[in-house]
């Protein structure tokens, strides 16, 4: 066994929008690996037969969603100032990936407990939303079928919902990102639509979804 | 600009259509004078892996007033959504409809893409027949390997670019800009001028007459100023860095080739008698080591790719292959970039080469003996002996490799059952060689994969006159080979005889195939290169409906004095040479490589060729 190499851990924060929202999670890993290469920064790879870059995205983002608050943890072989890293990386990103800060990683991603999403709807769907959201907020439980490794399972997603508010564009929702209680915007929509179905309404479909903030346990402070 | 954001969530792999890839070329459409839509008539993943498209995209966009964009065949789920929404075929950079472009180019890499070409034209809202296009339509141009016999699809294209396009396509674009600027542009006037530019074939300017038996009686230009022979284009200087893209566009999604591709040579010194690429890409040129290394290094800086793959027809035939590898390894090792050397020949395979290449990490190697016996290998001029192969696999097994992949062909001219069974014998000998290697890998079993394609007679090869054996006979030989394999350590794959048969029809077809291809499109045929879509019976129904015989094109030995549909093209290699090679094949005589003396193929008249050094 070789000695574990000394490495330096950083966070970077970036926005994902425009055409970049169609880059899947797996492709994001490769995309960032190449951004680091172009920037001339040596990231640390795992040991073993098939080394992969040691990179962790804080919270998975669904394909097609944009974000103002993506977080990536990575390790460099050399110690560099966050400013230097930011300068090197900024000019070599594909359109729609906008890195806006780099910092030394002193905290842990596990501190992130919630994320806040803006969910956008068409004019027609907006008409049904107030009734659905009101009913949803009154309920104690919201059971949906969740796909798991071994088929489908019933799950109450209500404990994973921090808050749901109506806005002029649709809904602002704070959802759990805990590994235990993770709730993505898609499953959340399924829950809303099953409430809608109980009210005799046709399913609504969001036109766009944007993650705005990564939040701590208090649902207010940003990570 | 077309709206696709609403349909992207509904289709598989939206990254195929979203655009925004790193290093794509974005220009101001109002500031350019000509817009070129470069179409790859297959899926995004295949098209993005194509080096030719990457090169021509670079060369066209090097013209400041030309904007070249990429177009791919939308996968069937996307096409369905597009048709439902009335969304026309669009270019990926601007998302503007292809119909609004000045020139629409298709790269024709294999015959089985023809149905996709028509489907893309249709999806773009452009009439599929050239004769139905009006002044407002873009000019449709084809190029690539299949343009060496463009006749089956001649009626769908306005122009074909024959040979290398690096200089030809910008020239054609300049001609159009000039004519549009000075007010002389009409479709007709442009096509007429393009025909005399050199290297451009305008099908509508030639008249073909047929004999009663369906063969060609005459093939003549309609006007005096239209050349009777179209000479292929060869670039002025293969070492000029301006032809080498060093900022290649990079897909986000997983594709076939997603690495630095360094082209090191064009043409091939071997002249295998079935191989079209080995003949039409002559004269044989090798790029300088420094030019290759500098371009690869720049590409690395511009992309961040971690792998370089050398590209040419036979890497180990590159004269200074060791020097090239050392020069590259000098900087690639330091940057943790790996080097991969595909297409190594068994007769020039060395331990050093294997160790220099990325092959050292993989568990297997691939060689292409092509035929099972020495007799047949001499017939096809694959100058590779059994000893060469045993020596090469011995090196591999000694270096702890356990798997070997061997490529062969069935249905080659003069092939007998002995040759077919010979493929199995050779595979068994490779297994024996493994157990006879003292330093072999003792932890794993050997595995030999035998992959057998069907011979397809191709234009501009010494075998262009040969008949393809019937499908039933091909299938009998495939079964014979299967029954001759007795080891479970040998895996046997073979190509479908149906697919190869259609390829042969298209490869040697003439203009009478146009209605058949149009009919196929009408009946919804597309993505023929994909097993899940290829429908042999449906194709045959189209031939029947149009009253066109398939056997006439695929299974007929063409008399040597018959006019071939592609005779009007001068690809450099002369017909006289091809005939001489054909006759040598029947005598069972191999020819030496171009490095051992010029064989007199004629391609050197088109430019500097490696054989010059031997004269």
């Amino acid at each position: 066994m070789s000695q574990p190499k000394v490495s330096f851990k950083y966070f970077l924060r970036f926005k994902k929008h425009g055409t970049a929202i169609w880059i899947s999670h797996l492709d994001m890993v490769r995309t960032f690996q190449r951004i680091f290469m172009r920037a001339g920064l040596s990231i640390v790879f795992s040991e073993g037969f098939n080394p992969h870059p040691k990179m962790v995205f804080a919270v998975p983002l669904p394909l097609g969603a944009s974000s103002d608050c993506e977080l990536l943890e990575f390790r460099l072989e050399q110690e560099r100032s966050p400013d230097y890293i930011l300068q090197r990386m900024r000019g070599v990103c594909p359109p729609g990936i906008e890195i806006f800060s780099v910092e030394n990683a002193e905290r842990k991603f596990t501190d992130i407990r919630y994320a806040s999403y803006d969910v956008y709807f068409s004019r027609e769907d907006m008409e049904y939303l107030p009734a659905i959201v009101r009913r949803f907020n009154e309920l104690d439980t919201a059971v949906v079928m969740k796909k798991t490794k071994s088929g489908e399972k019933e799950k109450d997603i209500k404990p994973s919902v921090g808050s749901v508010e109506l806005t002029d564009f649709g809904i602002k929702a704070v959802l759990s990102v805990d590994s235990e209680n993770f709730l993505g915007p898609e499953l959340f929509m399924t829950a809303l639509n099953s409430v809608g179905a109980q009210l005799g309404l046709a399913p609504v479909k969001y036109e766009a979804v944007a993650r705005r903030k990564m939040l701590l346990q208090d649902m207010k402070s940003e990570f | 600009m077309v709206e696709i954001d609403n349909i992207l969530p509904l289709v598989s792999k939206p990254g195929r259509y979203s655009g925004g890839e790193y290093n794509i070329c974005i220009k101001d459409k109002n500031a350019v004078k000509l817009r070129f839509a470069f179409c790859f008539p297959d899926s995004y993943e295949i098209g993005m892996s194509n080096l030719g498209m990457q090169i021509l995209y670079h060369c066209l966009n090097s013209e400041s007033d030309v904007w070249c964009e990429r177009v791919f065949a939308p996968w069937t789920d996307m096409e369905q959504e597009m048709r439902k929404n009335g969304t026309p075929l669009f270019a990926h950079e601007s998302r503007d409809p292809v119909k609004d472009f000045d020139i629409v180019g298709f790269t024709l890499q294999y015959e089985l893409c023809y149905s996709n070409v028509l489907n893309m034209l249709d999806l773009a809202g452009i009439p599929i027949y050239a004769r139905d296009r009006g002044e407002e339509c873009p000019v449709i141009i084809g190029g690539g390997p299949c343009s060496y016999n463009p006749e089956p699809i001649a009626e769908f294209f306005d122009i074909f670019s024959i040979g290398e396009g690096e200089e030809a396509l910008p020239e054609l674009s300049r001609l159009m800009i000039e004519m549009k600027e000075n007010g002389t542009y009409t479709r007709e006037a442009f096509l007429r001028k393009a025909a005399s530019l050199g290297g451009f074939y305008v099908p509508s300017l030639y008249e073909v007459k047929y004999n009663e038996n369906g063969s060609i009686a005459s093939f003549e230009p309609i006007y005096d100023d239209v050349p009777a022979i179209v000479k292929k284009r060869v670039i002025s200087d293969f070492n000029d860095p301006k032809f080498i893209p060093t900022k290649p566009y990079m897909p986000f999604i997983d594709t076939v080739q997603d690495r630095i591709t360094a082209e090191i040579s064009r043409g091939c010194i071997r002249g295998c008698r079935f191989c079209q690429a080995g003949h039409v890409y002559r004269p044989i040129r090798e790029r300088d080591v420094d030019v290759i290394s500098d371009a690869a290094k720049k590409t690395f800086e511009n992309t961040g790719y971690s792998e370089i793959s050398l590209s040419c027809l036979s890497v180990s035939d590159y004269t200074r292959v060791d020097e090239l590898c050392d020069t590259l390894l000098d900087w690639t090792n330091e940057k943790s970039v790996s080097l991969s050397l595909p297409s190594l020949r068994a007769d020039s395979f060395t331990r050093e080469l294997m160790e220099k290449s990325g092959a050292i990490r993989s568990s297997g190697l691939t060689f292409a003996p092509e035929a099972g016996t020495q007799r047949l290998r001499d017939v096809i001029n694959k100058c590779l002996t059994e000893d060469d192969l045993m020596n090469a696999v011995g090196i591999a097994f000694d270096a702890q490799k356990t798997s070997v992949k061997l490529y062969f062909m069935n249905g080659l001219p003069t092939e007998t059952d002995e040759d077919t069974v010979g493929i199995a014998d050779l595979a068994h000998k490779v297994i024996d060689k493994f157990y006879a290697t003292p330093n072999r890998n003792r932890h794993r079993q050997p595995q030999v994969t035998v992959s057998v394609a069907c011979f397809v007679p191709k234009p501009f090869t010494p075998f262009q006159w040969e008949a393809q054996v019937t499908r039933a006979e091909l299938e009998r030989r495939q079964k014979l080979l299967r029954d001759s394999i007795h080891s479970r350590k040998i895996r046997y794959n073979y190509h479908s005889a149906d697919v190869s048969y259609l390829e042969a029809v298209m490869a040697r077809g003439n203009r009478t195939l146009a209605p058949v291809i149009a009919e196929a499109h009408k009946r919804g045929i597309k993505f023929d290169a994909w097993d899940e879509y290829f429908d042999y019976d449906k194709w045959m129904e189209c031939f029947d409906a149009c009253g066109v015989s398939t056997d006439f094109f695929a299974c007929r030995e063409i008399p040597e004095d018959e006019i071939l549909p592609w005779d009007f093209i001068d690809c450099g290699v002369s017909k006289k040479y091809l005939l001489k090679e054909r006759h040598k094949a029947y005598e069972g005589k191999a020819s030496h490589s171009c490095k051992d003396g010029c064989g007199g193929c004629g391609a050197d008249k088109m430019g500097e060729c490696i054989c010059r050094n031997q004269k």
Side-chain angles (χ1 to χ4, degrees), chain A residues 19-24 26-28 30-31 33-35 37-39 49 63-64 91-95 97 205 207, chain B residues 5 8-10 14-15 18-20 22 95 250-254 258 300-306 335 337 361:
Chain A
T19 47
I21 65 173
W22 300 107
I23 311 173
S24 70
L26 209 65
D27 295 335
M28 280 299 275
R30 194 172 40 224
T31 299
Q33 189 180 336
R34 289 170 181 169
I35 294 173
M37 282 283 243
R38 293 195 287 267
F49 192 73
L63 192 63
V92 293
C93 289
I97 293 178
K205 223 172 147 301
E207 291 190 318
Chain B
D5 287 336
L8 286 182
L10 310 173
S18 56
Y22 196 68
R95 288 193 188 168
M250 302 168 69
F252 291 120
I253 68 168
D254 218 0
D258 192 13
F300 165 73
E301 285 158 5
N302 290 332
T303 59
Y305 276 134
S306 52
K335 310 268 186 201
V337 173
R361 272 187 298 278

Side-chain angles (χ1 to χ4, degrees), chain A residues 115-133:
Chain A
S116 158
Y117 300 87
D118 287 351
V119 191
Y120 296 79
F121 291 89
S122 69
R123 285 273 145 241
E124 299 89 83
D125 280 352
M126 289 283 280
E127 288 178 28
Y128 305 115
L129 283 180
I132 299 174
V133 170

Side-chain angles (χ1 to χ4, degrees), chain B residues 175-194:
Chain B
L175 175 69
M176 185 182 272
I177 291 173
E178 191 191 303
M179 292 181 75
K180 282 188 173 174
E181 279 186 337
N182 67 21
T184 57
Y185 179 87
T186 63
R187 221 179 158 76
E188 200 190 338
F190 174 70
L191 295 181
R192 188 78 172 271
K193 276 212 155 160

Side-chain angles (χ1 to χ4, degrees), chain B residues 324-392:
Chain B
L324 174 66
C325 290
D326 291 341
T327 308
L328 288 168
L329 289 168
D330 254 0
W331 63 268
T332 55
N333 276 340
E334 181 199 329
K335 310 268 186 201
S336 308
V337 173
S338 69
L339 182 60
S340 82
L341 276 56
S343 39
L344 291 172
R345 276 181 67 99
D347 51 359
S348 46
F349 182 75
T350 62
R351 175 127 200 173
E352 286 84 356
L353 263 187
M354 185 182 69
E355 284 172 354
K356 278 171 187 162
S357 84
I360 197 77
R361 272 187 298 278
S362 72
S363 66
L365 286 164
T366 303
F367 298 108
E370 305 292 2
T373 60
Q374 195 58 52
R375 184 201 70 80
L376 191 53
R377 283 195 295 274
D378 287 342
V379 167
I380 63 174
N381 201 32
K382 184 89 196 183
C383 309
L384 177 82
T385 65
E386 192 175 307
D387 285 349
D388 291 331
L389 181 66
M390 290 307 142
N391 178 47

